[in-house]
Amino acid sequence: MKKPISIYIHIPFCIKKCQYCDFLSAPADSRTQEAYLCALEDEIQKKAAAYRDYTVETVYIGGGTPTVVSYERLCRVLEVLRHAFQMEGKQSIDGKQSIDGNTLMEVEISMEANPGTVSGEALREYRRAGINRLSIGLQSADDRELARLGRIHSYADFLETYALAVQAGFQNINVDLMAALPKQKPWEYADTVKKVVSLVPKPAHISAYSLIIEEGTPFYERYGSEWERRERTGETPLYLPSEEEEREMYRITEKLLRGAGYHRYEISNYSLSGYECRHNKVYWQRGDYVGFGLGAASMVENIRFRNTSDLSCYLREEEKTVERIPLTQKEQMEEFMFLGLRLTEGVKKKAFQEYFGVPIEEIYGSVIAENVRKGLLKAGDRIALTKKGTDLGSYVSAQFLQ
């Protein structure tokens, strides 16, 4: 029986870097894009032989902004992938499964898209090529906030892109939101959430993350000292929302989305019934995945490896992988806990014992007991964050790093 695997494909191009972005991405001319896509296809074809014993369950095309590349070219990359790997289920032109023998679940193929970078024709071709999940980066429904973030689109651009995606046949659409933006107040964030859940049809999935000020970004130069002071002293910054305002935004997200029929299945992710992101759950549940493209990370059979982040090296060198790290059992246990606790269902005690051969209490008994006593964890057949623990998720998870 073949083992499951997921695939990530990195498209490192964008029209313009956002003020907060520390992702591996940058604008590029058409010649650079073409050279990169050729190298990407070559990497996929050459490395596929190592995964003959695997069946692909999910694919995620991220960036950057994948949709700045021509849709014909992006669809060709997907075609190369389909020929190189065995996919879990085959998909026909109309989006229905074509199943040989046993009933198989359709492969989840997600792609990121930013408003204003896709046409109706492109979206129809993406759907025809088998992409069945779209993740649209809105971030905010307030044009002033979008301008502060350095986004290239307006809220009206998002509405147009969303409508075109629905018309193209996409039913599984995620909308990305961002909270705790500079000068943002909880009621302003609530207005964005209300506008998103009032869309017709409703998005199947909503991701809501807080802004993190990363070094090396324009935002860090502007707000980094405030961010560091808050992290160090808890002092309320001048321009960034306070910790209490940020927690209030998380409570607003949960209240409004729960009222609109969404369930929270991960700290920052909500979905309608049946629309949880299968690809992201692979990461949180420590499944095997392989990444293709510039800087792409992989984990297969408890070995983490990554590609070079140097574009010239990626285009020139035959071997793209620059680092391989076998994980010790201790590291595997730590990841099992701090990744698994991101999910609202938490970590199964039985799964831990089956995987590592020891009861979870033998390794983490005192940590679990202390956090249960503080009201941050609940323990039964599963170990999971409480509502209070979810607000302090990073603090709780850090305690499982031995």
Side-chain angles (χ1 to χ4, degrees):
M1 182 175 178
K2 296 204 171 187
K3 296 172 284 188
I5 199 166
S6 291
I7 288 177
Y8 173 78
I9 297 175
H10 189 63
I11 307 296
F13 307 122
C14 57
I15 293 176
K16 187 184 77 168
K17 290 280 282 189
C18 296
Q19 297 288 297
Y20 58 88
C21 180
D22 73 330
F23 294 155
L24 191 56
S25 62
D29 58 31
S30 58
R31 175 181 285 185
T32 302
Q33 290 184 16
E34 178 59 25
Y36 176 81
L37 294 170
C38 288
L40 177 64
E41 291 173 349
D42 186 62
E43 183 191 6
I44 291 170
Q45 291 169 328
K46 287 180 177 175
K47 289 186 177 178
Y51 302 99
R52 286 178 182 151
D53 294 334
Y54 293 85
T55 301
V56 177
E57 288 189 330
T58 70
V59 177
Y60 194 99
I61 306 171
T65 305
T67 46
V68 303
V69 174
S70 73
Y71 67 81
E72 298 97 337
R73 204 58 193 79
L74 207 56
C75 289
R76 197 167 95 193
V77 171
L78 190 55
E79 185 180 355
V80 168
L81 184 72
R82 285 186 176 278
H83 281 99
F85 282 83
Q86 180 176 325
M87 307 293 250
E88 188 182 53
K90 302 295 183 181
Q91 195 174 46
S92 62
I93 294 297
D94 62 3
K96 297 178 181 177
Q97 293 182 62
S98 172
I99 300 171
D100 303 318
N102 298 327
T103 300
L104 296 172
M105 186 180 294
E106 181 182 51
V107 181
E108 179 191 87
I109 305 179
S110 304
M111 184 180 70
E112 294 176 354
N114 277 340
T117 64
V118 284
S119 64
E121 180 184 7
L123 288 163
R124 288 190 295 273
E125 290 303 315
Y126 292 139
R127 190 68 191 91
R128 198 184 304 274
I131 296 170
N132 49 32
R133 184 176 183 273
L134 207 63
S135 183
I136 304 177
L138 169 60
Q139 315 312 347
S140 171
D142 185 321
D143 285 346
R144 294 169 304 169
E145 292 176 350
L146 291 173
R148 286 185 207 125
L149 290 172
R151 303 291 288 178
I152 63 168
H153 64 86
S154 65
Y155 180 55
D157 293 331
F158 163 78
L159 291 175
E160 181 181 2
T161 298
Y162 188 85
L164 289 173
V166 171
Q167 292 167 16
F170 284 95
Q171 297 178 333
N172 193 351
I173 300 176
N174 169 66
V175 175
D176 278 340
L177 302 180
M178 191 174 284
L181 306 181
K183 302 182 182 180
Q184 186 182 55
K185 297 300 178 185
W187 66 265
E188 293 173 312
Y189 173 71
D191 184 61
T192 284
V193 178
K194 289 174 184 176
K195 286 179 177 177
V196 171
V197 298
S198 68
L199 291 168
V200 180
K202 282 191 231 178
H205 190 283
I206 294 175
S207 297
Y209 293 93
S210 287
L211 172 69
I212 296 176
I213 309 295
E214 301 284 5
E215 289 191 45
T217 66
F219 262 22
Y220 188 82
E221 295 177 12
R222 194 175 311 162
Y223 304 113
S225 58
E226 289 187 55
W227 176 266
E228 290 173 345
R229 187 169 65 251
R230 188 179 86 175
E231 293 294 290
R232 187 175 64 254
T233 68
E235 181 182 342
T236 300
L238 180 61
Y239 294 110
L240 299 175
S242 67
E243 288 186 2
E244 181 51 42
E245 286 177 317
E246 186 174 343
R247 281 195 289 271
E248 176 62 18
M249 291 181 200
Y250 261 79
R251 290 191 283 268
I252 286 169
T253 306
E254 185 174 21
K255 179 181 178 181
L256 292 178
L257 294 188
R258 184 174 64 247
Y262 294 84
H263 75 281
R264 187 183 200 174
Y265 70 95
E266 191 268 346
I267 288 178
S268 302
N269 286 274
Y270 301 76
S271 76
L272 299 178
S273 180
Y275 286 97
E276 296 178 357
C277 180
R278 290 165 54 202
H279 185 86
N280 283 344
K281 288 186 76 172
V282 169
Y283 296 147
W284 297 320
Q285 295 175 335
R286 297 195 71 254
D288 288 335
Y289 60 92
V290 59
F292 294 104
L294 190 68
S298 308
M299 189 188 78
V300 181
E301 304 291 343
N302 286 310
I303 298 175
R304 289 195 178 277
F305 48 101
R306 67 175 181 85
N307 282 352
T308 177
S309 298
D310 185 304
L311 181 59
S312 62
C313 288
Y314 184 84
L315 297 179
R316 183 180 67 250
E317 301 295 335
E318 182 74 16
E319 177 54 57
K320 316 295 186 189
T321 303
V322 294
E323 183 180 59
R324 293 181 185 273
I325 304 175
L327 297 177
T328 65
Q329 186 176 62
K330 172 179 171 290
E331 290 168 332
Q332 294 172 42
M333 287 180 174
E334 290 173 348
E335 287 189 356
F336 193 96
M337 296 305 298
F338 74 71
L339 291 174
L341 285 174
R342 290 194 63 88
L343 296 167
T344 56
E345 65 183 26
V347 172
K348 293 181 182 177
K349 288 184 178 180
K350 183 178 179 182
F352 186 96
Q353 182 155 359
E354 288 176 348
Y355 195 92
F356 297 110
V358 294
I360 195 170
E361 291 83 0
E362 186 175 317
I363 308 298
Y364 295 115
S366 60
V367 176
I368 293 169
E370 177 65 11
N371 282 279
V372 168
R373 185 186 67 78
K374 292 178 178 177
L376 302 176
L377 285 178
K378 49 190 174 184
D381 294 336
R382 301 170 183 267
I383 309 297
L385 294 170
T386 62
K387 191 167 185 178
K388 179 182 176 183
T390 300
D391 286 341
L392 301 170
S394 297
Y395 165 76
V396 178
S397 296
Q399 295 175 61
F400 289 90
L401 303 177
Q402 300 172 24

